[in-house]
């Protein structure tokens, strides 16, 4: 099994719909992150959580919300999806040091039509 | 504002043809520079962390080096399985302050 599992892998949704992307990890890390990747823009941080009771906005949090259900689970919601939220979404975990970097999931490709 | 610029955007090599990818950065107080490899349809995979100018790290055919303004990822005698997009990222303090480059797409032709 993968260390970081994201579901679904692909999703097409309509403008205005609410959608949730889920992430679970088996690394035992306290720290979890949500990123989006767009062509020509690189990876950008949406939200991060350093433990179950700690949730923080990243660079581009508008239009998104998150929930940290447990140490191993971190979900991202789009309350009312819009076409410019079409992107590749990655969940990641890390420990407190830089030695091993992030461990990323395989991503969710989201298309909003 | 922290900036990371990777060049070239794309690189095509013959198998065995060594080359280097560049990552230049403008930050205030570098705490760490990361290299990742990303295959199509997958999440980035961690390769190296470099902390200070002069540091070098190696893994198989890859060697990463760091100066005060840039990092190089040297690929020696590449194989087709080295084809991927290579991402560079920097942090000035904590994972919440990581800035990624757009990446270099490497294609190694047999």
């Amino acid at each position: 099994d993968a260390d970081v599992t994201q579901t679904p892998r692909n999703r097409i949704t309509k403008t205005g719909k609410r959608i949730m992307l889920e992430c679970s990890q088996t690394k035992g890390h306290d720290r979890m992150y949500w990123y989006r990747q767009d062509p020509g823009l690189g990876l950008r941080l949406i939200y991060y959580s350093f433990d179950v009771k700690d949730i923080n906005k990243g660079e581009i949090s508008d239009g998104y919300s998150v929930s940290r259900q447990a140490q191993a689970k971190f979900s991202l919601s789009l309350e009312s999806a819009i076409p410019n939220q079409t992107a590749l979404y990655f969940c990641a975990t890390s420990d407190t040091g830089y030695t091993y970097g992030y461990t990323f999931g395989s991503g969710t490709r989201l298309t909003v039509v | 504002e922290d900036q990371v610029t990777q060049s070239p955007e794309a690189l095509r090599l013959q198998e065995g043809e060594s080359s280097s990818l560049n990552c230049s950065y403008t930050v205030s107080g570098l705490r760490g520079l990361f290299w990742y490899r990303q295959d199509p349809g997958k999440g980035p995979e961690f390769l190296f962390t470099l902390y200070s100018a002069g540091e070098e790290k190696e893994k198989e055919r890859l060697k990463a080096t760091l100066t005060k303004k840039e990092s190089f990822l040297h690929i020696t005698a590449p194989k087709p399985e080295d084809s991927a997009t290579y991402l560079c990222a920097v942090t000035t303090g904590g994972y919440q302050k990581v800035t990624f480059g757009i990446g270099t797409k490497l294609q190694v032709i047999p």
Side-chain angles (χ1 to χ4, degrees), chain B residues 85-96:
Chain B
T85 296
Y86 291 86
L87 303 175
C88 172
V90 298
T91 180
T92 55
Y95 281 101
Q96 70 275 25

Side-chain angles (χ1 to χ4, degrees), chain A residues 9 33 35 37 40 43 45 48 50 90 94-95 97-102 104-106, chain B residues 31 34 36 38 41-44 46 49 51 87 91 93-96 98 100-102:
Chain A
R9 287 298 313 275
Y33 312 81
Y35 275 90
Q37 187 175 40
L43 285 154
L45 183 63
Y48 63 99
F50 283 174
F90 289 105
S94 76
D95 65 17
Y98 301 140
T99 304
Y100 302 106
Y102 289 119
F104 283 92
S106 292
Chain B
R31 300 289 297 275
F34 307 98
Y36 289 85
Q38 186 174 19
K42 294 189 176 182
F46 172 78
T49 305
Y51 295 94
L87 303 175
T91 180
Y95 281 101
Q96 70 275 25
V98 175
F100 279 85
I102 295 171

Side-chain angles (χ1 to χ4, degrees), chain A residues 57-87:
Chain A
K57 293 181 178 180
E59 177 187 356
I60 53 163
S61 60
D62 288 349
Y64 301 95
S65 63
V66 291
S67 174
R68 184 81 184 265
Q69 299 94 331
Q71 184 203 41
K73 296 184 182 294
F74 192 35
S75 60
L76 176 72
S77 293
L78 286 68
E79 298 301 326
S80 180
I82 56 177
N84 77 359
Q85 291 177 314
T86 294

Side-chain angles (χ1 to χ4, degrees), chain B residues 38-105:
Chain B
Q38 186 174 19
D39 293 299
K42 294 189 176 182
E45 177 186 350
F46 172 78
L47 294 173
F48 306 109
T49 305
L50 302 168
Y51 295 94
S52 58
E55 188 174 2
E56 300 181 349
K57 289 195 175 171
E58 291 187 63
K59 180 180 181 179
E60 297 180 357
R61 295 176 292 282
L62 301 176
K63 179 180 177 180
T65 61
L66 181 64
T67 72
K68 288 186 177 179
K69 294 182 178 180
E70 58 193 347
S71 177
F72 293 94
L73 186 65
H74 307 277
I75 303 177
T76 302
K79 299 181 178 182
E81 53 262 43
D82 294 321
S83 297
T85 296
Y86 291 86
L87 303 175
C88 172
V90 298
T91 180
T92 55
Y95 281 101
Q96 70 275 25
K97 295 182 182 179
V98 175
T99 301
F100 279 85
I102 295 171
T104 293
K105 185 174 183 179

